[in-house]
Amino acid sequence: MTAPDALDLLPDGAVVSGADQRVIAINPLAARMLGTDPLDALGRSLGEVLALTDHDGQSWMLVNTPFEGLRTRTGIPEQSWLLPDGTEVLVTARLHRPERAGPVTQVAVSLRSGRGRARLDRDRSDLVATLAHELRSPLTGVKGFVNALLARWDKLSDEQKKLMLTTASVDADRLSRLIAELLDVARIDTGRLQLHRRPTDLGLKAERVQQSIAVATSTPVELAIDPDLPKIDADPDKVVQVLTNVVENAVRHGSGPVCVHVGRWSEDPSYLAVTVSDEGEGIPESLRQRVFAKFWTGGSGGGSGLGLYIVAGLVRAHGGTVVIGDRDGGGAQVVTTWPVVDA
């Protein structure tokens, strides 16, 4: 494979010039970004082909002087530049010196779309906004009740003290849960999620979740478990986390009783399925993929918008699936599937 052919396979734009500062190779992606023809670019000066400017109108060549400057330089770090059409690209370069501190004989420039970084910046901004919004309310509650207890301890009755401490404890639990969710999001995003898998009784975990949520809401949570089900190969703590998020989501955004069913998955008997349904308005088909995005919220139920994103990440890490559908008779239905322990 020749060098130009290899450049064509790169996911980023690439431009290479020789010691005479003239382009000796350019791949189609870079040519398209720079608004030129690959064949026409060959032999032209690097500064002419690399039509990049900063927000002050200065050119990349003028600012970075790749063939001049310190003779110990071997590269130019990633910088943000503008293409002729105003699109942002991230540009880095390698300065090739055959001899240490010798002259530059070749310059290889890489151009990458800035959309990925812009998306990452938006995600970070959303994360900061979510943290500020979600942490403010429970922190304010904890601080307010603690200050009231410190200032009026002798004047408050035991019942009043108990109520304030109970409320502060609930708010502290909200903070702990949000922090745990953010840690899970970070682990899912970076591929560092750790699962401690072992044979797990899915029906027993569903029963635990049903009992926990039933005492905290007036919405009926009904549970049905098929008999003689095998155990699943899963991290039991993550199973509880997933089922809790799905059921709480149904309680928060649906209406009527929430029904939880544990049984064999009809599409593949080597999986068990947990079906959670409600009698609300359901989830429009056009939104069924978006609900698994980070920070997506719908309706008036509030929340951090991380619950279903974490659900999808944890279930898929187990090798299962998450499917949103319609409940017979109206309402939403969320099905999570879990692999059965190998016989």
Side-chain angles (χ1 to χ4, degrees), residues 221-285:
V221 180
E222 303 169 357
L223 175 63
I225 304 173
D226 291 350
D228 303 322
L229 293 176
K231 291 186 176 181
I232 60 172
D233 178 29
D235 183 325
D237 291 336
K238 301 303 183 187
V239 172
V240 171
Q241 184 178 359
V242 166
L243 299 186
T244 298
N245 277 343
V246 175
V247 175
E248 285 186 344
N249 189 73
V251 170
R252 184 182 300 117
H253 298 291
S255 62
V258 172
C259 299
V260 182
H261 175 261
V262 182
R264 290 274 189 177
W265 189 26
S266 59
E267 297 185 21
D268 187 343
S270 64
Y271 286 79
L272 297 189
V274 180
T275 304
V276 179
S277 57
D278 62 71
E279 299 178 2
E281 297 180 357
I283 301 174
E285 193 167 348

Side-chain angles (χ1 to χ4, degrees), residues 78-100:
E78 187 176 78
Q79 303 165 341
S80 175
W81 289 84
L82 299 178
L83 293 172
D85 63 0
T87 302
E88 180 189 25
V89 288
L90 305 177
V91 184
T92 186
R94 170 73 177 172
L95 311 181
H96 181 64
R97 301 176 188 269
E99 299 178 2
R100 183 180 177 83

Side-chain angles (χ1 to χ4, degrees), residues 8-54:
D8 293 351
L9 300 178
L10 294 176
D12 301 328
V15 184
V16 182
S17 76
D20 59 357
Q21 302 190 27
R22 296 193 175 276
V23 173
I24 59 175
I26 182 172
N27 67 1
L29 180 56
R32 187 162 58 250
M33 286 180 169
L34 296 168
T36 186
D37 182 88
L39 295 178
D40 290 342
L42 297 178
R44 291 165 57 192
S45 70
L46 180 62
E48 184 182 357
V49 173
L50 208 62
L52 301 170
T53 57
D54 61 16

